[in-house]
Amino acid sequence: MGTKSLLNLIGSRLHALPLLVLYLTDGCNSRCVTCDIWRSPRRNMRQELVEALAGSLQNLQTRRVLLSGGEAMQHPHWPEIARRFRDEGAAVMLLTNGLLLRKQAEAVIANVDEVIVSLDGGTAETYAAIRGVDAFDLVLEGIRAVRASGVPVITRTTVQRANYHEIPQIIEVARAAGVNRISFLAVDVSSIHAFGPRFAPSAEVPVSAIATLGPDSPPEHGPAAAALMPDEVIEFRQVIEDMTARFAGDFASGLIAESPAKLRRLADYFAALNGAADFPQSRCNAPHISAVVEVDGTLRPCYFLPEVGKIEAEGAPLLETLNGPEALALRQAYRGGQRPECERCVCPLYKGPRALLRMS
């Protein structure tokens, strides 16, 4: 059992990397209203970079690799990449919009240990309005095809204005598809780093419009338009209380990943965006246990924080870049509460000593 990851918790240097997240491609076949990445020409991660990263896994005691994007399944060689990381002893997770899940079910079953599927609507109409494609039934068919083989599937719903009222339906359809867990997080409207170039100069909503929404009418387009307004926050709180009673058994069994208390924090987050409350405090040590490598080798400590270096196929080893001056300074800063992005984070990740040992 590896224990180097425990040393990460002591200072700012990384001695191990329990979780590696890879953006295999920045292309995407969805047309989500909160993301502009699909507008850009697609780039795929080069095999030389994949090999450089795979060759670092055992020294870093990396036991989990998450394939993401863009849409990871659009990389023409993603199954071979998944096998390569498995050969190094890592469990491979696939984060996908699910559009190719049915078509490539055999490849998923053969090469992936767990699938995380975005499910942003409880009806076909809502799904299409948010994701920009009419694929609700196709995604559910893909989930059922993968589950039939025994591969675990988690659905992840990004809660926003267009779907918060459909959370009960989302739970019902996900449960009917046989998923292992159902998870919810709030839509991020603040980060200029996470989930694609959503705030490029051509974006319809400038960054300055996203700091605090306020009580006025929200923007009609872009990420800020997805945040709940004050009256909707009140309705959302009632949805949470109703689902707490209605799905008590699913909370108790763990089918619904978040506790009622954590779901209430989602409502608190939206209230804070409207200036009606402070942002809920989050416990997170993601920069000490994970790293994100983008399609071109850009290295970031998590989805929401800026780059701290670049991984080159023929350059410095991954561990050296992870402990470069920029990375060390950023870890010191976030631990000291000096990174404003952390206050608004919608997806904190925390692993204590016992959890890290279980990942080893």
Side-chain angles (χ1 to χ4, degrees):
M1 176 182 291
T3 58
K4 288 199 297 185
S5 58
L6 297 180
L7 297 175
N8 291 3
L9 305 180
I10 298 174
S12 297
R13 294 186 63 83
L14 295 191
H15 302 268
L17 185 67
L19 172 64
L20 175 62
V21 180
L22 300 183
Y23 289 176
L24 291 189
T25 177
D26 54 10
C28 189
N29 48 0
S30 286
R31 300 291 184 268
C32 297
V33 296
T34 58
C35 179
D36 273 349
I37 196 170
W38 53 273
R39 299 180 187 273
S40 303
R42 186 173 79 193
R43 298 175 301 167
N44 295 323
M45 183 174 284
R46 295 181 298 111
Q47 190 61 35
E48 293 85 354
L49 178 56
V50 171
E51 286 296 328
L53 294 169
S56 300
L57 292 197
Q58 293 198 24
N59 182 50
L60 288 171
Q61 295 185 357
T62 302
R63 296 294 179 263
R64 296 189 183 185
V65 174
L66 175 64
L67 306 182
S68 183
E71 171 49 48
M73 297 180 75
Q74 282 199 305
H75 192 295
H77 304 298
W78 80 260
E80 294 95 322
I81 292 171
R83 284 198 299 273
R84 181 69 181 88
F85 287 115
R86 272 182 150 187
D87 289 344
E88 294 294 336
V92 173
M93 301 171 288
L94 173 67
L95 178 60
T96 175
N97 60 28
L99 299 187
L100 296 172
L101 204 54
R102 185 184 69 180
K103 182 178 181 180
Q104 299 188 30
E106 291 185 6
V108 173
I109 294 165
N111 298 291
V112 173
D113 297 285
E114 182 178 82
V115 182
I116 305 167
V117 183
S118 298
L119 184 63
D120 285 340
T123 63
E125 293 75 17
T126 298
Y127 180 94
I130 293 173
R131 308 294 295 189
V133 291
D134 183 10
F136 181 70
D137 292 332
L138 176 65
V139 170
L140 292 176
E141 289 170 12
I143 291 173
R144 287 191 287 266
V146 172
R147 282 297 300 129
S149 72
V151 175
V153 174
I154 301 168
T155 58
R156 181 161 295 164
T157 298
T158 302
V159 178
Q160 53 187 286
R161 296 186 74 208
N163 67 9
Y164 73 93
H165 57 286
E166 283 192 3
I167 287 179
Q169 292 105 304
I170 292 170
I171 295 171
E172 294 283 6
V173 298
R175 183 169 58 184
V179 305
N180 300 81
R181 274 190 294 158
I182 303 167
S183 180
F184 300 92
L185 76 161
V187 63
D188 171 65
V189 302
S190 303
S191 176
I192 61 173
H193 304 293
F195 312 126
R198 300 177 303 161
F199 306 114
S202 61
E204 294 167 305
V205 180
V207 176
S208 58
I210 298 170
T212 300
L213 297 180
D216 299 327
S217 298
E220 294 182 0
H221 305 286
L228 275 62
M229 299 305 288
D231 57 336
E232 294 166 329
V233 174
I234 296 172
E235 294 177 13
F236 181 37
R237 292 191 191 279
Q238 188 58 54
V239 168
I240 293 170
E241 298 312 314
D242 291 344
M243 66 181 286
T244 298
R246 177 176 172 183
F247 299 105
D250 294 324
F251 281 107
S253 69
L255 177 64
I256 300 176
E258 290 76 23
S259 67
K262 286 187 176 181
L263 292 176
R264 294 182 187 111
R265 287 169 60 87
L266 303 188
D268 294 340
Y269 162 80
F270 286 117
L273 282 178
N274 286 288
D278 293 332
F279 284 95
Q281 290 188 346
S282 297
R283 193 181 191 190
C284 180
N285 60 0
H288 276 76
I289 62 173
S290 67
V292 175
V293 178
E294 297 184 1
V295 64
D296 63 352
T298 296
L299 177 69
R300 293 198 278 118
C302 72
Y303 287 115
F304 302 97
L305 291 171
E307 66 177 270
V308 293
K310 194 164 186 177
I311 307 299
E312 303 285 355
E314 303 299 330
L318 177 56
L319 182 59
E320 182 176 328
T321 310
L322 286 169
N323 288 319
E326 291 181 72
L328 292 174
L330 190 144
R331 289 190 204 105
Q332 292 171 351
Y334 99 88
R335 268 193 165 175
Q338 298 168 11
R339 296 300 313 192
E341 303 96 328
C342 297
E343 180 186 38
R344 296 165 178 263
C345 182
V346 299
C347 191
L349 174 66
Y350 177 81
K351 298 292 184 183
R354 291 183 180 178
L356 288 177
L357 288 175
R358 287 196 296 268
M359 291 177 68
S360 299

